[in-house]
Amino acid sequence: MLEVTLSEGRRNRIVRHLLTLLAIATTLLAAAPASAMEVVPPGNRNAEQPDVPGASVRRTKAGKTSFDAKYDKVRDLLASDRELVSKIKSVAAQYGIAPIHMVGAIVGEHTYNVDAYDRLQSYYIKAASYAGDSFRFAYNGERVDTFVDRPEFSACEGKKGSYAVWSCRESVWSRQFKGKTVGGVAYPNNRFSAVFFQPFYAGQTFGLGQINPLTALMLTDAVVRVSGYERLDEKDAAGVYQAIMDPDISLAYMAASIRHSIDVYKQLADVDISRNPGITATLYNVGNPDARAADFARRRAEGTSPWPEENYYGWLVNDKLAELQGLL
């Protein structure tokens, strides 16, 4: 047997080298994320389209049309209006999202909620008609800006950013006012946005992006920062409606909404939904992505829900994805 005797100095250098490698490995392990971000697979999780809500079915029948006809109309609008498609691409790039997400949201809204105009210019004309209107966000004679000054909303004042502030106020409404009698006033068992932010009739959204006024108020900081549009104010209801009716500004709010959904699913659920337009379209349709991301994260941890699932609206987008991609 051959014995190799190392000098004390060489032994010390080897030990120091091993200790250095161990320290580097420990640092890398500590810096590594607890779990890698997982990408939601493309396509639908449901083999068949989930049921379309009765309200959408009734609204479509009342208009003496069909979902297929409405889909064809909005698809043809996008196919023929290259100015609109160019705007979509430009705005999507500003917010760091693929334009197919915006196309999906537009198609979903105009298939299931409203009819598309035949050309983009009609949206501009409709937006201009709201410029001189005087109305306000209020319920039972009380303006929303006065309503949210109540002590119940005090915790929201410390929130940073329009999204955090208005999300907090919406939560307070749901917990302490929705369906309850407070101070002798009976409040409807309905969403905050339907009660205070739709002076014409509940459920009304507007414009190319069909943005809800409360959603616009939530996202206004992001749109100001990225697109440079004026900040929206709940005291100026006409200004809010004019903004969400204007196609250019509406596209910015649409992109900001989609960007927020993608970000919050990464932050709260550790999944990337950016490669599944059916999921982003679903969230655009149902809203409240923060709570939905948190709920999905809980169910996924329990092993009951491996991936987010599309609703009827998102299912259509994924089902028609190849055709919609062709529009771009």
Side-chain angles (χ1 to χ4, degrees):
M1 179 180 291
L2 177 63
E3 293 186 2
V4 178
T5 303
L6 299 177
S7 67
E8 183 177 354
R10 184 169 175 77
R11 285 199 303 271
N12 289 340
R13 286 195 298 273
I14 292 173
V15 170
R16 285 197 299 270
H17 182 64
L18 290 174
L19 289 174
T20 300
L21 291 176
L22 180 61
I24 292 172
T26 302
T27 301
L28 291 174
L29 286 172
S35 59
M37 182 74 63
E38 293 191 78
V39 178
V40 176
N44 288 317
R45 306 283 78 84
N46 295 287
E48 297 184 358
Q49 185 178 28
D51 291 339
V52 178
S56 184
V57 173
R58 290 190 295 273
R59 188 162 51 242
T60 299
K61 285 184 177 178
K64 297 181 179 180
T65 184
S66 68
F67 294 132
D68 287 342
K70 291 168 73 175
Y71 169 81
D72 289 345
K73 188 173 183 180
V74 67
R75 180 205 57 205
D76 292 346
L77 167 68
L78 290 163
S80 63
D81 197 330
R82 304 320 297 170
E83 178 190 1
L84 172 56
V85 172
S86 177
K87 287 177 182 288
I88 290 171
K89 290 180 177 180
S90 176
V91 173
Q94 291 175 13
Y95 287 83
I97 61 175
I100 188 62
H101 295 290
M102 298 180 66
V103 167
I106 291 170
V107 167
E109 288 296 332
H110 288 78
T111 298
Y112 294 109
N113 292 332
V114 293
D115 281 320
Y117 290 126
D118 292 322
R119 56 197 178 98
L120 182 61
Q121 190 61 28
S122 298
Y123 288 93
Y124 287 111
I125 293 170
K126 187 68 173 176
S129 71
Y130 280 78
D133 282 352
S134 58
F135 45 84
R136 60 182 183 169
F137 296 135
Y139 172 71
N140 201 28
E142 184 175 15
R143 296 170 60 106
V144 72
D145 54 298
T146 301
F147 181 72
V148 298
D149 275 343
R150 293 176 177 224
E152 290 90 342
F153 295 93
S154 59
C156 302
E157 299 309 310
K159 302 292 183 181
K160 293 184 179 180
S162 58
Y163 202 97
V165 169
W166 283 106
S167 294
C168 176
R169 289 170 174 171
E170 186 178 34
S171 295
V172 171
W173 161 265
S174 296
R175 291 194 312 268
Q176 299 187 239
F177 293 92
K178 181 180 177 182
K180 298 179 180 178
T181 299
V182 181
V185 178
Y187 292 97
N189 186 22
N190 206 343
R191 295 169 293 113
F192 191 34
S193 59
V195 176
F196 271 96
F197 292 94
Q198 294 163 340
F200 302 109
Y201 57 87
Q204 189 167 4
T205 51
F206 287 90
L208 182 65
Q210 291 294 290
I211 305 291
N212 181 289
L214 178 57
T215 300
L217 287 168
M218 288 179 175
L219 294 168
T220 189
D221 280 358
V223 171
V224 169
R225 183 177 65 255
V226 177
S227 299
Y229 291 118
E230 291 186 10
R231 193 176 191 280
L232 301 182
D233 189 324
E234 68 272 18
K235 297 177 184 178
D236 181 15
V240 174
Y241 270 111
Q242 189 179 2
I244 60 180
M245 289 285 289
D246 183 293
D248 295 332
I249 307 177
S250 180
L251 286 173
Y253 277 93
M254 176 183 294
S257 175
I258 294 167
R259 175 79 262 174
H260 180 81
S261 291
I262 292 171
D263 289 344
V264 79
Y265 266 74
K266 287 181 178 179
Q267 294 162 6
L268 300 183
D270 207 29
V271 295
D272 182 357
I273 63 174
S274 67
R275 300 183 196 177
N276 193 310
I279 297 301
T280 57
T282 295
L283 293 168
Y284 191 84
N285 174 233
V286 298
N288 205 0
D290 300 63
R292 295 180 191 281
D295 182 62
F296 167 71
R298 175 188 58 77
R299 288 184 285 109
R300 196 170 197 234
E302 295 171 349
T304 60
S305 182
W307 300 114
E309 291 189 11
E310 70 287 341
N311 69 350
Y312 68 97
Y313 179 118
W315 192 95
L316 174 76
V317 173
N318 276 340
D319 188 57
K320 301 286 189 179
L321 191 58
E323 183 175 29
L324 299 180
Q325 286 279 17
L327 299 172
L328 297 168

